[in-house]
């Protein structure tokens, strides 16, 4: 007869690991505690494998890794009164216990449930799906928390525990439900790199662990386990056009997400803070001599975001020498071990909104000790547009929307080359001059007698209305309402190469024309609900 085969993915992952025999013995002992001895020689499954007898039903534990089924529908960013076609996708997740209230929840990736209208989860070996709700989500770090109200789902569930930060060459197992089948899958590899990476879902640059275990579509949200079966990260993306290069969200990022709170919305964390500086590496010895470094290392601050608290304390030309006692190298890194270095940005990411970080800077030959507040900073062009309706308003056939990066994604994967270059540059290098600034786009010019000759001016930034600057969509809507009552014409300046173009609309016929356009193009309202309730100013 064949030897007894451990049938849980955890025992399998541990047994396959080429670690010491003690690890295998622990896995075998854990399997025996969970499943008990073989039922008998005649009790085999359809493949001839010995069947293990479960212990008492109340003591058995269900698999903590689940499959996530999501139905999602994203907004049409160019015409926000409509949605794109409904889509379905699957991912992975695992059960964990929240420290602050002891509640069992499911941790998964935000991109698995982004724009979700309906979510279900299924445990390994279970045929029944259970309805789940998104209790908390953070698109920046690509993490989400799900709850299941059906108590039957949680019966016998044993949550996974988080382990320490891994080291290079540590063995890891990735567990999940990749495409190509319904059952749970285990792939193995080692930690090959730990550094700041771009998170594809949000564009944020945060700490990630690179592994050489396969991470395929559907694996997203599944746990990455160390040799002891503890979670060291959440699988979330892979490297395109390469083999067996995957990335997991490490424990420090997960821990920050779990305890970070936004006072305005308990479903969303405040986010990872920023110092708000632009810096220059000091690898060149001539530049270091010019700045009077005299054997010291650091980076030169070449600018500070106007909306950052650091703007009141730091100056262009300061040299950043240390952060919270960590010496900064000339390339902007700091040491975290004998052979590992990370960008100093990670030290800031470990903070929370409105905390301070200690800086040592060199200014005009003098070293200064500063305590500088940090907080999450909004980008001029938001990188995502998930889960919430996108505002809009229409004036006489002109459709105005807030500029978000997904607007350019409508040009395809090569949007940086194919989309309007003025808009691409705003995404890549634009910065807020004040906290509420977000450019407004003329996304569509709906053909009508009043808009004749203006059709080629779509997909452009709106700069001003009757000479008054446009700050954001809400401010522009209020501005148009006021000027509609005061002026014979509204003149919209839109950005063009060489100088702005002007769109003039006769206010005496604008309202009547707007009603005809809404009816012709089957648009439900001239403005989104949040703007319809806005008082005129």
């Amino acid at each position: 007869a064949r030897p007894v085969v451990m049938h849980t993915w955890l025992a399998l992952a541990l047994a396959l690991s080429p670690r010491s025999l003690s690890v295998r013995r622990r896995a075998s002992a854990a399997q025996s505690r969970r499943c008990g001895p073989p039922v008998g020689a005649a009790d085999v499954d359809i493949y001839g494998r010995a069947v293990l007898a479960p212990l008492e039903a109340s003591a058995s534990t269900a698999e903590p890794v689940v499959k996530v089924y999501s139905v999602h529908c994203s907004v049409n960013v160019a015409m926000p009164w409509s949605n794109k076609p409904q889509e379905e996708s699957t991912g992975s997740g695992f059960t964990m216990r929240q420290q602050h209230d002891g509640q069992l929840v499911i941790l998964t990736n935000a991109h698995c449930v982004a724009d979700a209208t309906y979510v279900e989860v299924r445990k390994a070996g279970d045929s029944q799906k259970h309805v789940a709700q998104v209790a908390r989500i953070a698109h920046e770090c690509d993490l989400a928390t799900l709850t299941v109200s059906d108590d039957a789902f949680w019966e016998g569930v044993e949550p996974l525990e988080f382990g320490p930060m891994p080291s290079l060459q540590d063995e890891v197992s990735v567990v999940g439900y990749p495409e190509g089948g319904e059952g749970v899958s285990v792939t193995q590899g080692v930690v090959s790199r730990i550094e700041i990476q771009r998170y594809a879902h949000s564009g944020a640059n945060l700490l990630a662990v690179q592994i050489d275990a396969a991470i395929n579509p559907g694996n997203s949200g599944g746990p990455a386990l160390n040799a002891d079966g503890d979670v060291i990260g959440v699988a979330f993306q892979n490297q395109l056009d390469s083999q067996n290069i995957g990335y997991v969200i490490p424990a420090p990022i997960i821990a920050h997400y779990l305890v970070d709170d936004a006072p305005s919305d308990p479903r969303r964390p405040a986010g990872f803070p920023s110092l708000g500086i632009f810096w220059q590496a000091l690898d060149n010895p001539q530049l270091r001599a010019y700045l009077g470094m005299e054997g010291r290392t650091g980076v030169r601050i070449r600018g500070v975001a106007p909306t950052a608290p650091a703007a009141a304390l730091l100056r262009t030309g300061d040299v950043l020498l240390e952060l919270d006692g960590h010496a900064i190298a000339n390339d902007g890194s700091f040491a975290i071990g004998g052979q590992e270095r990370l960008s100093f940005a990670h030290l800031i990411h470990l903070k929370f909104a409105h905390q301070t970080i200690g800086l040592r800077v060199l200014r005009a030959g003098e070293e200064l000790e500063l305590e500088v507040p940090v907080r999450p900073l909004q980008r001029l062009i938001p990188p995502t547009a998930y889960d919430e309706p996108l505002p809009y308003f229409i004036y006489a056939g002109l459709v105005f929307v807030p500029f978000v990066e997904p607007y350019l994604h409508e040009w395809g994967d090569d949007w940086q080359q194919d989309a309007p270059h003025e808009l691409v540059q705003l995404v890549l290098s634009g910065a807020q001059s004040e906290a509420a600034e977000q450019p407004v786009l003329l996304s569509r010019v709906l053909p009508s007698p009043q808009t004749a000759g203006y059709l080629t001016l779509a997909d452009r930034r709106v700069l001003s209305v009757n000479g008054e600057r446009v700050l954001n969509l809400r401010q522009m809507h209020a501005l148009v309402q006021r000027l509609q009552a005061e002026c014979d014409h509204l003149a919209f300046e839109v950005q063009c190469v060489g100088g702005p173009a002007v769109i003039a609309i006769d206010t005496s016929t604008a309202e009547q024309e707007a009603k005809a356009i809404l009816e012709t193009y089957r648009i439900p309202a001239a403005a989104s609900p949040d703007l319809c309730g806005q008082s005129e100013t």
Side-chain angles (χ1 to χ4, degrees):
R2 294 183 61 186
V4 174
V5 178
M6 290 184 286
H7 62 278
T8 66
W9 56 262
L10 177 58
L12 177 63
L14 294 178
L16 291 177
S17 174
R19 301 272 294 199
S20 65
L21 288 177
S22 63
V23 174
R24 298 176 185 237
R25 294 192 184 102
R26 287 201 301 272
S28 179
Q31 176 66 15
S32 298
R33 288 195 299 271
R34 293 180 62 179
C35 300
V39 174
D43 293 307
V44 295
D45 63 17
I46 62 173
Y47 304 110
R49 299 179 298 189
V51 177
L52 298 177
L55 299 177
E56 297 180 10
S58 60
S60 64
T61 56
E63 297 290 1
V65 180
V66 302
K67 188 168 185 176
V68 179
Y69 301 81
S70 177
V71 179
H72 48 93
C73 189
S74 58
V75 67
N76 186 329
V77 291
M79 297 180 289
W81 59 87
S82 61
N83 289 329
K84 294 181 178 180
Q86 178 177 291
E87 297 180 358
E88 298 180 10
S89 63
T90 62
S92 305
F94 63 93
T95 58
M96 55 158 286
R97 190 180 299 278
Q98 296 185 139
Q99 291 186 353
H100 67 280
D101 60 6
Q103 181 184 3
L104 287 174
V105 296
I106 297 169
L107 188 64
T108 187
N109 282 143
H111 74 256
C112 292
V113 293
D115 291 321
T117 58
Y118 187 67
V119 181
E120 291 180 311
V121 294
R122 179 177 61 80
K123 294 183 289 187
D126 191 353
S127 61
Q128 182 181 359
K129 298 178 183 177
H130 299 261
V131 177
Q133 297 80 36
V134 180
R136 183 179 175 86
I137 192 166
H139 293 289
E140 180 183 18
C141 60
D142 200 1
L143 290 170
T145 303
L146 310 180
T147 58
V148 178
S149 56
D150 186 357
D151 293 337
F153 173 83
W154 299 107
E155 291 180 2
V157 169
E158 187 70 25
L160 291 177
E161 301 290 339
F162 287 95
M165 186 73 177
S167 300
L168 295 178
Q169 295 301 307
D170 279 1
E171 294 158 3
V172 294
S173 300
V174 177
V175 186
Y177 296 83
E179 293 179 353
E182 288 295 319
V184 69
S185 170
V186 180
T187 57
Q188 292 191 311
V190 298
V191 174
S192 53
R193 186 177 292 160
I194 301 174
E195 63 183 16
I196 303 293
Q197 293 282 351
R198 182 181 184 274
Y199 282 37
H201 179 63
S202 66
N205 293 300
L206 297 170
L207 186 67
V209 173
Q210 179 182 313
I211 61 176
D212 64 4
I215 295 179
N216 298 307
N219 268 125
S220 294
L225 309 172
N226 61 17
D228 294 323
D230 294 328
V231 178
I232 58 94
V234 176
F236 76 114
Q237 66 187 36
N238 58 19
Q239 181 70 46
L240 297 177
D241 302 323
S242 63
Q243 293 184 347
N244 292 345
I245 296 181
Y247 297 95
V248 300
I249 303 170
I253 302 298
I254 300 171
H256 193 286
Y257 159 79
L258 292 175
V259 300
D260 187 21
D261 286 319
S264 59
D265 186 356
R267 294 182 67 252
R268 297 179 183 273
F272 291 83
S274 170
L275 193 57
I277 64 171
F278 306 92
W279 56 275
Q280 175 186 2
L282 295 179
D283 296 316
N284 190 287
Q286 301 169 96
L287 181 56
R288 293 197 300 273
Y290 171 75
L291 296 173
M293 298 289 286
E294 297 179 352
R296 290 169 287 207
T297 62
V299 295
R300 175 181 177 272
I301 297 175
R302 58 182 179 83
V304 185
T307 58
L313 297 169
L314 297 177
R315 301 177 187 173
T316 298
D318 285 350
V319 177
L320 179 59
L321 305 176
E322 292 182 6
L323 271 176
D324 268 353
H326 296 272
I328 306 303
N330 294 323
D331 63 354
S333 66
F334 72 99
I336 59 170
Q339 297 180 336
E340 296 177 73
R341 303 190 69 86
L342 284 177
S343 167
F344 71 81
H346 181 59
L347 294 172
I348 305 169
H349 295 158
L350 295 176
K351 300 290 183 177
F352 293 90
H354 306 300
Q355 287 186 336
T356 62
I357 189 167
L359 274 65
R360 179 187 292 271
V361 300
L362 180 67
R363 179 182 297 168
E366 180 183 358
E367 290 191 10
L368 303 176
E369 299 278 355
L370 303 173
E371 285 291 327
V372 180
V374 295
R375 65 175 177 84
L377 297 179
Q378 299 298 317
R379 288 169 54 178
L380 178 65
I381 312 300
T384 61
Y386 298 115
D387 302 331
E388 301 291 342
L390 201 65
Y392 73 92
F393 78 89
I394 302 172
Y395 182 79
L398 308 177
V399 180
F400 301 104
V401 299
F403 188 9
V404 292
E405 186 177 316
Y407 187 93
L408 299 187
H409 297 172
E410 299 300 310
W411 274 263
D413 293 338
D414 294 328
W415 61 268
Q416 294 190 25
Q417 287 74 41
D418 298 337
H421 296 306
E422 298 87 353
L423 302 185
V424 172
Q425 287 304 311
L426 280 176
V427 170
L428 298 180
S429 58
Q432 286 185 325
S433 59
E434 52 185 293
E437 184 180 10
Q438 182 182 358
V440 175
L441 297 183
L442 173 60
S443 71
R444 293 289 185 273
V445 178
L446 303 175
S448 72
Q450 201 166 23
T451 60
Y454 297 150
L455 300 185
T456 60
L457 296 177
D459 299 319
R460 301 181 188 274
R461 180 184 183 182
V462 183
L463 302 176
S464 67
V465 182
N466 284 15
E468 297 191 39
R469 179 193 176 206
V470 170
L471 181 65
N472 55 50
L473 188 73
R474 179 171 292 274
Q475 174 261 353
M476 179 183 173
H477 182 254
L479 178 62
V480 168
Q481 286 182 309
R482 174 171 59 82
L483 295 177
Q484 165 72 21
E486 297 176 354
C487 304
D488 295 332
H489 289 82
L490 294 191
F492 299 89
E493 281 194 337
V494 295
Q495 186 177 27
C496 294
V497 175
V502 176
I503 298 175
I505 300 294
D506 188 337
T507 58
S508 64
T509 60
E511 185 174 350
Q512 181 179 355
E513 185 69 20
K515 293 179 180 179
I517 286 176
L518 295 181
E519 182 177 350
T520 300
Y521 292 96
R522 300 182 181 89
I523 301 174
S528 53
D530 60 319
L531 295 181
C532 287
Q534 180 177 332
S535 61
E536 296 188 12
T537 56

